[in-house]
Amino acid sequence: QYANRLNTEAAAVAAGEAQVARSKAGQASAAAKVAKVKSALAAAEARLTRTRAIQDRATKDFEQARQQRAGGAISAQDYQRFDADKLAADADRTAAEADIQAAQREIEAADADVNTAAANVTAAEADLSAAKARRDEAKRLVENCVVTAPIDGTILTKSADKGGLVSPMSFNVAAGICLI
């Protein structure tokens, strides 16, 4: 019984070690995801900076075109092109701002994944520690099943057989499991 328990607890330790390794891999994966999303955020911020510059230029061009159109200096078709360019630049800026907000939300989600993974690692390590303690106790019980004589000699009589269950209540106070 004790040997079976020791084998079971040794297997639990191996499973616990595998769970810790799996949890640490999940933690590394979550950290990589955070880095990837932060990179996407930096790219979105760069796109926003670029679209702001394009929007500023398109707005200035449109204002100039509007003044020229009022004075009859440009055609309606050219005016419409400047208007369309301004509207496109405005839409691009809105899209870039939305990309930044989406990337920020993804970072928050990825950070939550990192925290969850860290908690999983902590829990797996605690489970592993408990499994090791159970294994060590099972090992102690197995080791206590071996009876060693305190002196050398020849066994004259024995009161118990190998594999039998012995209890102090089974023997009278002065007796032992064998006479050497």
Side-chain angles (χ1 to χ4, degrees):
Q1 177 184 5
Y2 291 147
N4 288 339
R5 182 173 168 193
L6 176 60
N7 291 337
T8 300
E9 296 305 339
V13 167
E17 289 169 343
Q19 183 61 35
V20 167
R22 189 175 321 128
S23 297
K24 286 183 177 180
Q27 188 177 29
S29 174
K33 182 179 178 183
V34 168
K36 180 180 176 183
V37 175
K38 284 184 177 181
S39 175
L41 175 61
E45 288 172 341
R47 280 192 307 275
L48 178 60
T49 300
R50 183 174 179 269
T51 58
R52 282 179 178 160
I54 292 170
Q55 183 187 29
D56 287 344
R57 188 188 69 215
T59 300
K60 289 175 185 174
D61 289 348
F62 175 72
E63 290 301 322
Q64 186 179 16
R66 189 168 47 146
Q67 290 172 359
Q68 290 174 347
R69 179 71 182 144
I74 63 169
S75 67
Q77 184 179 9
D78 286 340
Y79 175 76
Q80 289 172 352
R81 184 175 47 83
F82 284 116
D83 186 32
D85 288 347
K86 181 187 177 308
L87 291 174
D90 292 344
D92 287 345
R93 180 177 177 170
T94 302
E97 289 170 344
D99 288 346
I100 287 175
Q101 290 175 354
Q104 288 170 337
R105 284 198 264 342
E106 285 183 40
I107 287 174
E108 291 169 3
D111 283 339
D113 289 345
V114 165
N115 293 338
T116 300
N120 287 342
V121 167
T122 301
E125 287 173 342
D127 289 345
L128 175 60
S129 181
K132 285 180 177 179
R134 289 190 308 270
R135 180 206 53 202
D136 292 346
E137 176 61 13
K139 184 177 179 184
R140 184 190 68 78
L141 290 172
V142 167
E143 289 170 353
N144 282 343
C145 289
V146 175
V147 177
T148 306
I151 59 172
D152 286 337
T154 303
I155 297 177
L156 299 175
T157 62
K158 65 177 185 168
S159 304
D161 291 318
K162 183 177 179 180
L165 181 62
V166 292
S167 166
M169 303 312 264
S170 301
F171 304 102
N172 61 28
V173 177
I177 59 172
C178 66
L179 249 168
I180 299 177

